[in-house]
Amino acid sequence: PLLKLVFQEGGDVGPCIDVDVSVNNTLPLQEAQLIKAYCSLDPRVADLLMAVKLWAKQHGLCGAAHGNLSSWSFYMLTLYYLQVSVPSFPCLQNGGAWDTEFLDSERAAARATGYMGCLPQGSDVAELYRGFFDFYARAFVWGYEVVSVRQGRRKARSEDAFSSLLRLKDRRLHLEDAFTPNNNLNVVLREGRERASDVLL
């Protein structure tokens, strides 16, 4: 279970901070370390993740409780886009072989060490941001390919790497969780919400 709280600093007029509380669950720690490791590669990674998330929130497309993809899902979409569009951008999990490295902050940081500065020098965040939308609107084949940060390369849903992924026969967006290979992150999408994402992209 996940308890979602909002902390408002300075009473009613201060900024709000979303807080998620979970007990005896190490998965969020792994997820946080994975995102932190990717963000350490280049400052533009964090900027792009935030830009895509803010776009999704602004258009009412983010929030699993409302039948949309979660923030985590949009992080996966963004990192996968970088992996398959920028030749020098790495896959830190190596197909899942390195998943346990992300249970420890020092080991997770070590996984990223050899890839610092992997984004092209001439690409600013605005260019990467436009590339994100162009990739999912024109290049990505919805219903055929699987978004997989764990694999880090373009693969069809029929490949053995996704044999345990749930709801794979559905002709829709397939989005593999980075640490739970059988978890298709599309399960939260209510009817019509996936179509809304498709149209806006």
Side-chain angles (χ1 to χ4, degrees):
L2 183 68
L3 178 62
K4 301 183 79 67
L5 305 173
V6 176
F7 172 73
Q8 192 159 22
E9 188 176 359
D12 294 337
V13 295
C16 291
I17 301 173
D18 292 329
V19 180
D20 293 345
V21 179
S22 182
V23 178
N24 294 331
N25 182 9
T26 60
L27 184 58
L29 299 177
Q30 280 183 289
E31 294 173 349
Q33 291 299 335
L34 182 68
I35 296 300
K36 184 178 178 181
Y38 275 113
C39 288
S40 74
L41 301 178
D42 190 291
R44 289 168 290 179
V45 176
D47 291 342
L48 182 62
L49 288 171
M50 185 56 64
V52 171
K53 178 181 174 180
L54 290 175
W55 167 83
K57 283 183 172 289
Q58 183 180 14
H59 288 85
L61 299 174
C62 186
H66 304 292
N68 298 307
L69 293 175
S70 64
S71 295
W72 172 251
S73 296
F74 279 100
Y75 291 158
M76 295 296 95
L77 286 165
T78 306
L79 291 174
Y80 177 75
Y81 149 68
L82 290 173
Q83 287 175 330
V84 301
S85 301
V86 179
S88 56
F89 197 83
C91 172
L92 296 180
Q93 292 173 269
N94 191 26
W98 296 101
D99 284 0
T100 56
E101 300 296 293
F102 297 95
L103 288 168
D104 178 84
S105 59
E106 291 185 4
R107 296 201 324 245
R111 285 291 304 141
T113 301
Y115 302 101
M116 298 299 180
C118 59
L119 290 180
Q121 291 298 320
S123 300
D124 59 16
V125 176
E127 183 180 345
L128 295 170
Y129 184 67
R130 289 192 298 270
F132 170 85
F133 293 102
D134 187 66
F135 172 72
Y136 284 107
R138 300 173 186 273
F140 183 76
V141 185
W142 292 61
Y144 176 76
E145 293 183 66
V146 177
V147 173
S148 175
V149 171
R150 184 176 64 96
Q151 297 291 331
R153 52 199 176 96
R154 297 180 74 173
K155 288 189 172 187
R157 61 179 182 161
S158 58
E159 296 199 31
D160 291 342
F162 307 119
S163 59
S164 65
L165 190 63
L166 299 176
R167 300 177 65 161
L168 198 58
K169 293 182 179 180
D170 297 347
R171 298 287 295 179
R172 59 185 313 193
L173 172 66
H174 295 295
L175 182 53
E176 180 194 53
D177 183 83
F179 292 107
T180 313
N182 69 330
N183 184 14
N184 198 330
L185 297 174
N186 71 14
V187 296
V188 298
L189 286 170
R190 292 182 190 158
E191 187 175 351
R193 302 314 298 156
E194 183 175 1
R195 179 59 183 160
S197 301
D198 194 2
V199 168
L200 282 169
L201 285 169

